[in-house]
Structures are given as C-alpha cells and as structure tokens.
Amino acid sequence: MPEDLFRLPGRYAWLSLLLDSLLLFGLGAGMARYLGAAVLASTYLVGQLWVIGLLFTTYFLRRYFDDRDSARHLGRMVWRLIPWKYALLAGAATGLTVAVAMTFLLIQSGRVSQGVFFLMVAGFLGAVAYGVPPFQLAEVGYGELLLSVMIGVGVPSIAFLVFLGEFHRILAMATFPLGVLHLAMLMAYGFPNFARDRRLERKSLLMRMGWENGMMVHNLLILAAFLLLGLAAVFGFPGFAAYPSFLLLPLGVFQIVLMQRVAAGAKPNWNAITFGPTALFGVLAYILAFSFWTH
C-alpha cells in the first residue's frame, strides 16, 4: 500500500481522489437535474466546497495522527516557518472550518433535508473514524472500505439530496457500482508495496486478506460493478447512461487479465495495474455524469 491512501502510484493519489470527488458531485447534481430539480450555481459551489473541506479534513487528520509519518518528518519545517505537525493540524482545521461554514450556508439556503443532515453527520464521523484515535480505521485494515463509502457513494448522494431533497432508486443504481469500483481501485494501490507493508507491519484491507485472496477479491469487485450496472439497466436505470458504461468492460477485463498473469507468476507491470482501475473508475464517473447532464 502507498504510504497512505492519498498517494497514488507515484505522487498523485491525493489529486486523483480530489478529482474523483469533483466528478462524483457533478454526477449527483446531474441526476437530480435529470429528475427535475433546479441546480443553482451558488448552491452547487457551496456543496462542492463542503465535500472538498471534508476531504481535506480527513487527509490532514490521518497524517497528523500517523506516528510513522511523524517519525519520518521529525524536526521538519514547512516553508522554514511552521513545524510539520502544526502544519498538518492547521490543514485539518482549515478543512473543517470550510466544511462547517458551508454547512451553515446550506442550512440558511434551506437545502439541508433530513437525508442531507444524516449524510453530513456521517461524513464528519467518517473523517474522524478514518484517522483519529482510538478508531483509526486506516490503521486496522478498514480504511479502504470507509473511503469507498464516503467518496464513491456519499459524495454523489449528498449532491443529489441537496438539490432533489429525497432519495430515488437511480441514486443507488449509480452509486453502488461506483463504490464497488472505488474499493477495487484502492485495493490495487496496495499491491506494488505489499512486501514492504508486510515488513513494516502496516495494516490494510489487502494485508488482512492476503496476496492471493486480495487479487481474487479485486477481480470479483470489477466484475460485480458491471453486473450491478447490468441489473440497474434491467430494473429501470436510464439506458443513455447504462449502455455507454459497458464500453469500459474491455478495460475491466484487461485489468483482470493483468492480475491473473501476476497471480500465475508473470513479472508485474505495477504502473498498468494501478492505473487501470483508476482510469476505469474515473471514466465511468465521467460517462455517467456527462450522460445525465446532457439529458
């Protein structure tokens, strides 16, 4: 697993998750618009800033309470002015301030229904549970599950409810496949550093499952995402959004083949293995968002 879940293969995991949240918020708003809700630019901006603030809070709290991170950066100064730990705490406080301020703006605008309130509370609790003791789910192997629910399901759901005010079945039909793919993506990030993480006794979902079981679950998650999309199409999910999504099926199959080759002993191409699910998730979110915004 990378040093934390906000670093992609390479240095860009944090940027990837941030961009994913932008796409997913747009998807939720697009579905609400498709069902007849008025999507105001001001409310959209406030809701998107709430998501970004919460994501920053989650990230900086995780880093602040990570003892290994503290040991690695002991004595480090940010911009030669601020001690590393204080900079992380300031980042968490800034993200939380933005999220709280946007919460009050949404309340004042009358956009906080019972469903929105529930998701907001769940989001704040998730940010704490992910990286703050005594929970620190990122340290006990359940951080990936929590992030996939928060980002893959929670972000589009809160955008949808902010504008429409009530649940609709197409919300679940879109978010469940995305949540499953998001989990497959986070699991894929753990394979390149599996040996190092085992040596350092780092906990992750992949470490809990083991190498072989993790590969099997990763592949099943990809297949399950497309199965859920197929079932959604059968039970009324709009065809203009469902059918183009299956153009990504060859990419999903290719990702599974890559994993199977590694399981069989072939030399792994970690860049391809980690980029594949990232592209699969991002492009699916884009296809769904574009489809609803154009209909």
Side-chain angles (χ1 to χ4, degrees), residues 18-28 48 281-283 285-286 289:
L18 182 61
L19 291 176
D20 287 341
S21 74
L22 298 178
L23 272 175
L24 292 168
F25 193 87
L27 168 60
Q48 184 69 82
F281 178 82
V283 175
Y286 174 80

Side-chain angles (χ1 to χ4, degrees), residues 38-107:
V39 177
L40 302 178
S42 57
T43 305
Y44 187 101
L45 178 61
V46 169
Q48 184 69 82
L49 286 175
W50 183 90
V51 170
I52 292 173
L54 186 67
L55 206 53
F56 269 78
T57 302
T58 306
Y59 170 66
F60 284 111
L61 284 177
R62 161 77 171 110
R63 297 292 297 275
Y64 181 81
F65 288 102
D66 185 351
D67 293 334
R68 288 183 297 266
D69 186 84
S70 299
R72 185 167 58 250
H73 295 285
L74 185 64
R76 178 179 172 183
M77 303 290 286
V78 178
W79 300 314
R80 299 182 179 180
L81 295 173
I82 309 172
W84 177 251
K85 291 285 284 186
Y86 290 158
L88 293 176
L89 188 59
T94 301
L96 184 60
T97 300
V98 170
V100 171
M102 296 306 105
T103 299
F104 281 113
L105 288 177
L106 287 173
I107 291 173

Side-chain angles (χ1 to χ4, degrees), residues 176-261:
F176 286 0
L178 286 168
V180 168
L181 269 185
H182 196 273
L183 183 56
M185 179 181 74
L186 294 184
M187 288 190 66
Y189 295 167
F191 287 104
N193 296 315
F194 184 87
R196 186 195 68 180
D197 290 340
R198 182 170 57 185
R199 184 178 68 254
L200 297 176
E201 297 183 348
R202 292 180 182 271
K203 298 294 184 181
S204 69
L205 187 61
L206 180 59
M207 294 297 294
R208 280 186 171 274
M209 291 182 178
W211 179 272
E212 294 182 354
N213 289 335
M215 286 187 169
M216 179 180 66
V217 171
H218 168 273
N219 294 343
L220 289 176
L221 288 171
I222 291 176
L223 292 176
F226 285 101
L227 176 60
L228 288 171
L229 281 170
L231 290 173
V234 170
F235 288 102
F237 192 67
F240 63 76
Y243 300 146
S245 301
F246 283 95
L247 294 174
L248 296 174
L249 184 57
L251 178 58
V253 172
F254 179 68
Q255 176 71 13
I256 291 173
V257 170
L258 285 179
M259 279 292 186
Q260 290 298 104
R261 290 184 59 191

